[in-house]
Amino acid sequence: MVVRLLHRTGLRSNHFHLAALGTIALCVGLWVRAKTVDQQQRGNAERRALFVGLWPPMMWSIGESLRDVE
């Protein structure tokens, strides 16, 4: 139901596959940035990178579901 709604709004599987790759790049960027901040802020920056690192599998799965609808 949600996947068909996404398809009707114009989103395609390629959009979500590219978003998954983009979130991987964002995660790596946040992780590298976490190594450059001072010790007090490092823990929060690393947690932010790990949180964003959880997004790619979800984006990829939505993309695969949209591919089945297409």
Side-chain angles (χ1 to χ4, degrees):
M1 186 167 131
V2 174
V3 175
R4 290 183 188 189
L5 178 66
L6 290 172
H7 189 269
R8 277 189 300 213
T9 61
L11 292 170
R12 300 295 180 249
S13 62
N14 291 338
H15 297 138
F16 280 95
H17 289 148
L18 289 174
L21 295 175
T23 56
I24 291 170
L26 178 62
C27 176
V28 170
L30 287 172
W31 181 73
V32 168
R33 183 185 172 278
K35 300 302 177 190
T36 63
V37 296
D38 62 346
Q39 192 65 30
Q40 290 179 342
Q41 296 176 346
R42 184 172 290 175
N44 189 29
E46 287 177 349
R47 283 189 294 275
R48 189 177 302 124
L50 287 172
F51 176 69
V52 172
L54 296 173
W55 298 352
M58 179 193 60
M59 296 287 186
W60 195 268
S61 296
I62 293 172
E64 288 299 312
S65 297
L66 276 170
R67 183 180 290 181
D68 292 341
V69 171
E70 294 170 358

